[in-house]
Amino acid sequence: MREKSYTSDTRCGIMKLDERAIAAINSVLAVGHRAEVIPTKDGVRVMHVKRETVKSEESKDVAV
């Protein structure tokens, strides 16, 4: 079976997404969180970005 890959031209060079990177991105997006894709010299790094609201002492919501 041939492995799918996608390429994207960025200011840092070519970013190549293989099946493992795509699966990692999809698993993060499936739970409603954000995924960040960072190009590296060895391929890409997929980061799971999670945000939560933090209550301050004054009872005002502050987004982090």
Side-chain angles (χ1 to χ4, degrees):
M1 181 176 181
R2 188 174 158 228
E3 185 176 312
K4 287 184 187 177
S5 68
Y6 300 91
T7 59
S8 175
D9 189 13
T10 66
R11 64 182 175 185
C12 298
I14 300 292
M15 185 169 31
K16 186 173 183 181
L17 299 176
D18 59 2
E19 281 293 320
R20 291 177 60 193
I22 295 167
I25 294 166
N26 285 332
S27 68
V28 171
L29 296 177
V31 294
H33 293 182
R34 298 170 187 225
E36 182 178 338
V37 182
I38 302 169
T40 65
K41 66 179 179 180
D42 299 325
V44 296
R45 177 184 300 158
V46 179
M47 302 294 291
H48 182 166
V49 179
K50 221 161 66 169
R51 291 183 166 196
E52 62 185 48
T53 302
V54 178
K55 301 269 184 176
S56 67
E57 293 178 15
E58 299 135 9
S59 300
K60 293 181 182 176
D61 291 340
V62 178
V64 174

